[in-house]
Each structure stands twice: as structure tokens, then as C-alpha cells.
Amino acid sequence: MSFWRFWVLGGMLIILPCALAWHLANLQVVPSADKGFEFLQSEGEARTLRSEMLSAYRGVITDRNGELLAVSTPVTSIYANPELLDENEFVALASALDIPVSQLRDRVEVYENKQFMYLARHLPPQQADKILEQKFSGVAAETEYRRYYPAGEVAAHVVGFTDLDDHGQEGIELAFDEHLAGAMGYKRVLKDLKGNIVKEKGVLKAPVAGKELRLSLDLRLQYLAYKELKAAVNKQKAKSGSVVLLDVRSGEILAMVNQPSYNPNDRSHLRSEQIRNRAITDVFEPGSTVKPLTVMAALETGRYTPEHVIDTSPGYVMVGKKALLDPKDYGRLSITKIITKSSQVGITKLALDIEPRDIRELFFRAGMGQSTGMGFPGESVGVLPTRDRWLPIETATLAFGYGLNVNAVQLAQAYAMIADKGNFKHASLLRSDDQHVESQVVSKSVAQSVIEMLKTVPRAGGTATRAQIDAYPVAGKTGTSHKIGVDGYAEDRHFALFAGFSPADNPEVVAVIVINEPTDGKYFGGEAAAPVFASIVEGALKILRVPPQADAAYVVGL
């Protein structure tokens, strides 16, 4: 009997370990077993295997010559899982982050029911490494990219900026955000209980870098225009100012600057009024700068020539109950001299003798009252009125630039059309080697006649002698418009304007200068805006290596 018990007990001691080994084999070796090793492994990894985003490199923005305007640099962002943070490490962690302990606690409380929170964004890698070396529980890092703008405030209004998450917020960065952004990638990582990455399991989807964008700007001309405009606005104690420099043949914008500006690399003290690209977003009544377009409309009727004479005596004209004045009685003036002297009386009598819809239609063909087509955020298309019946005063004021408004780019487009002998092209901020879309909106003969008129404005006897350049003949027109106040047009607030091109006989560039509310006592376009035009255009033509050209009429003072 004792012998039997001995064998039973021995058998059980042998069978039990074998059964345990078999069960373990089912769990850890046999893949097809219910809840076998594949199941257990997948369940374990599901609790520690995570997907992490891989930031995409945002495409660079350059000027037409390849000079960098916006570039992304790698930075490190520190993040944490609030559930894994060790409260005993708060003092050391706050010290490493260079923030008060109370601030860290407050932030953790906000995210206490979350599994992710940023502790610091966009740190230099060497600074982030010092924090990570201390191996705080639940703290990790990821590589992101921070946008840097080498030209700073000089190109800020055009280029714009991105936010912390690298999304475009202003300017080209916003307009072409999808083109520049690229696509995020993902990788699988194995993390321990503290949230630290133990092992990288491979890339699930590789990030796709954003595409490069080459602008039409020439950074050399951008710096030049910015320097001259800033100096003029400060000297004249003006509220603001804008400059647009445009290539006559292509319609590409070579420079676009505004005052006031801002530094996109340091926006800690940024004010809302600094952000606007005023050359596109702000509109103004163009005043006498549109008189050449009114003359174009008159010449197109076939009833007028540049030599046609209009009597402007006695120096004013009554339109209804409104007296429209010249600075003095100019007497009998040819249409050319009306432009030279910027005669309000002469242009009014001319406008009242043609159909108002012809003037309005010519303005529209020149690009006013419609989008420039650049797709720039916040662009104002302005106002170009249309009426079934025009009152005489409405016709007159339209003819000399009141009752409508434009932005600086629209005015530059119009003058580029004149300079290119009636050939209209939409302005562009993108560099392109393709042929630009253009249309002949005015006959070459009419455009050439107006060019000859505009050449007289900077010469002796004209309103813009300060716009003339010794080495390059200039054609252009001054403008001075009153700003609208609470009780109508204000007598002491003005826009000083100049629009023109050079060299006059073979135009290369068009420039529009807008000085908003100069307060140094010189508010006429010929005083405030024309000298800025001369400085910028002369410098630009030299940078572009345009050979000097003599203007015999200017030299002899004709």
C-alpha cells in the first residue's frame, strides 16, 4: 500500500511541472493558441508602442536672385505627460525650464486630465539638451522647425510670418501656406512607463518637405526702397508711407515697402497697425495722378490732340454750385500743358466735354476697381463708381481723382500700362520665366502721346522738378489728395503722391510713392513724394545696370 502511494505522489510531482510547462508554452511559444504569445505581445505593445509625428521642413522663400527671405531652422520642443510627472521633481524641473514653480504647477493642473502638454517650445537644441540630460519623469522632446527671416523688417510686409505651429499667419506665408508647408510624417516608438522613448520601431510615413517659393522681389532694391521711404517718413513726420517698384515689361514687383514696419523675428512688441501691407490693403483717392488716364479717354474719342487748346481763364470753373480752382489763372493751355501744370480747370472742362462712361471705362481697363490677381491676403480692390446717370460734378471729380479709391499696386499697374505703350499686365509677386499674360488696352499712339505729356511734368515749369534724375529722364505725375475727416474733406490732412517711370523713352521701372499725412509743412506730391521717387529710381536703375541716358529737353530746361 505504501508502495502504491509512493508512485502516485511521484507521478503527480512529474505531471504538474509538465502541465505548467505546457501552459507556458501555449502562452509564449505556440502562436495559434488562444491568447498565446502573439496576443500577449500585441497587448503589451499597445500599451507602450506609440505613434509620433515627424515635422516637415517648410519650403524656403527667396527673392528673384535666390537670396533667402524665409528659412526654417531645427529647434527642440519639450513636452510632458502630466500623469507621469513626479511632483518631487517640480522644483528641479521648474529651475531647468527657468520658470517659477507656481507657474509650472498651474500649467500642470490645467492639463491634469490630459496625456500631453508642452513645457517649452522652440528651444535651441543645446538648451533643450541640458533639460533632457536630467531625465525628468514623463518629460520628452520633439524636433520642430522655427521660421527665420534674414531680411527682417525690410521684407516683413511681403513675406509675413508663421505661428508656433509653423502655419502661415500673414503675407506670402499665409497666401501660399499649403505650397510651403509640406506634409507631416509619423514614426512608431516604444516608450517606458516614464514616457521615455526606449526604442524606435521605424518610420510609418516619411515627412514631405514643403516646396520652395521664389518671389519677384529684388532684395537689393527692397533694401534701397525701405531705407529711402523710412528716412522720408521720419523727416516729414508722416503717419505712414508706401512704395511699389514694378518691372515695366513683366509686371513683376521688384520692391514693395511700407512704414511703419516690424521685425518678424521678434514680435514681442508688435502692434496691429504695423502688420498691414499698406501698398495692397490700404486705399486712397489718387487725385491728379489719374489725370493722364482722363486725357487718354479724351484722345481715344479722336476729337482731341495733345496740342488742342482749352481756355482755363479766369482760373476757376463753376460746376453746379462748386468752384474748382487752379493755383492761378493759366489762361489758354494745350492738353499737354494741362498735364504739365496739373490744371484742375483744364481737366474739368475736358472731362465735361466727353462721356463720363468713357473715363470710367478707361480707368477700369487700367486695372482700377478690380483685384490685382496676386491673391495677397487682405487686398482691397478699391472703389470705381458706376452710374446710370452722371452728374457734372461727379464726372469732374472722377476725372481728377476724387470719388474713387485705389491701392498703390493698382496705380503702379496703370502707369506700367502707360509706360509699355498701352499694354496692360497684372502685377505679380512671383518670379516667373514664363510669358506673362498681357493685353493691349490702349493704342500705342495714344499711350505714346501721354508719355510725351508726362515727360514735361518733371522739367522746368512742371509740378515735379524734384522727381527728375540727372542720368535718367523721368515721366510721371504728381498727386495731392485731401483725406476724409469727420466733417468731409480735411484741410490739414493729405496724401502726397507721385507715380512715374524711367528712363522715359525706354522705361525699365515704374514707381509709386505714397506719403500719408506729412506734417512738416510740405504736403504736395511734388514736394513730399517726388524726391523719394528720384532717390529710389535712380538707385534702382544703377543697381540694375541701366546705362545712363541724356534728356536733351531737360538739360536745356525746356
Side-chain angles (χ1 to χ4, degrees), residues 285-301:
E285 290 181 303
S288 296
T289 58
V290 300
K291 287 178 181 176
L293 300 178
T294 300
V295 168
M296 272 188 164
L299 295 178
E300 281 192 328
T301 66

Side-chain angles (χ1 to χ4, degrees), residues 380-393:
S380 297
V381 299
V383 173
L384 181 61
T386 181
R387 296 180 174 87
D388 293 331
R389 179 175 176 274
W390 291 76
L391 298 176
I393 191 61

Side-chain angles (χ1 to χ4, degrees), residues 113-147:
N113 295 321
K114 307 290 185 181
Q115 292 186 331
F116 181 92
M117 64 175 286
Y118 279 113
L119 295 175
R121 298 291 299 274
H122 293 183
L123 298 178
Q126 61 272 20
Q127 183 180 345
D129 288 343
K130 292 180 180 179
I131 300 173
L132 296 172
E133 286 172 359
Q134 301 183 52
K135 298 186 181 301
F136 295 107
S137 300
V139 175
E142 64 182 4
T143 298
E144 293 186 295
Y145 292 97
R146 181 180 180 181
R147 212 63 162 157

Side-chain angles (χ1 to χ4, degrees), residues 445-464:
S445 60
V446 167
Q448 186 60 49
S449 295
V450 173
I451 290 173
E452 295 302 320
M453 296 179 194
L454 292 175
K455 288 165 64 175
T456 69
V457 176
R459 297 173 182 164
T463 59

Side-chain angles (χ1 to χ4, degrees), residues 342-535:
S342 196
S343 170
Q344 210 86 317
V345 176
I347 206 73
T348 296
K349 288 188 173 183
L350 182 65
L352 293 177
D353 195 47
I354 61 177
E355 289 292 333
R357 64 174 176 270
D358 291 341
I359 301 173
R360 194 263 178 201
E361 201 265 337
L362 196 290
F363 286 9
F364 184 80
R365 278 186 275 154
M368 297 179 181
Q370 54 190 304
S371 171
T372 61
M374 292 190 296
F376 199 90
E379 176 185 356
S380 297
V381 299
V383 173
L384 181 61
T386 181
R387 296 180 174 87
D388 293 331
R389 179 175 176 274
W390 291 76
L391 298 176
I393 191 61
E394 293 170 338
T395 302
T397 53
L398 180 71
F400 54 73
Y402 282 85
L404 75 157
N405 53 51
V406 300
N407 62 43
V409 175
Q410 289 174 325
L411 191 57
Q413 285 181 158
Y415 271 74
M417 179 271 290
I418 299 173
D420 202 24
K421 296 180 173 57
N423 197 17
F424 179 82
K425 296 169 287 294
H426 282 287
S428 172
L429 270 170
L430 300 182
R431 178 81 170 91
S432 175
D433 295 324
D434 298 332
Q435 187 172 1
H436 298 271
V437 178
E438 51 190 47
S439 56
Q440 194 74 34
V441 298
V442 178
S443 71
K444 292 183 178 180
S445 60
V446 167
Q448 186 60 49
S449 295
V450 173
I451 290 173
E452 295 302 320
M453 296 179 194
L454 292 175
K455 288 165 64 175
T456 69
V457 176
R459 297 173 182 164
T463 59
T465 56
R466 297 182 183 183
Q468 192 56 269
I469 304 169
D470 291 342
Y472 306 98
V474 169
K477 184 71 187 72
T478 55
T480 307
S481 61
H482 290 276
K483 295 185 68 176
I484 297 177
V486 177
D487 300 317
Y489 287 105
E491 292 297 325
D492 58 346
R493 298 169 60 210
H494 305 83
F495 279 109
L497 312 167
F498 189 84
F501 46 89
S502 186
D505 295 319
N506 188 24
E508 294 281 345
V509 297
V510 164
V512 168
I513 315 296
V514 181
I515 306 295
N516 179 18
E517 289 191 39
T519 58
D520 65 343
K522 298 178 180 179
Y523 58 84
F524 289 109
E527 299 173 318
V532 185
F533 172 92
S535 298

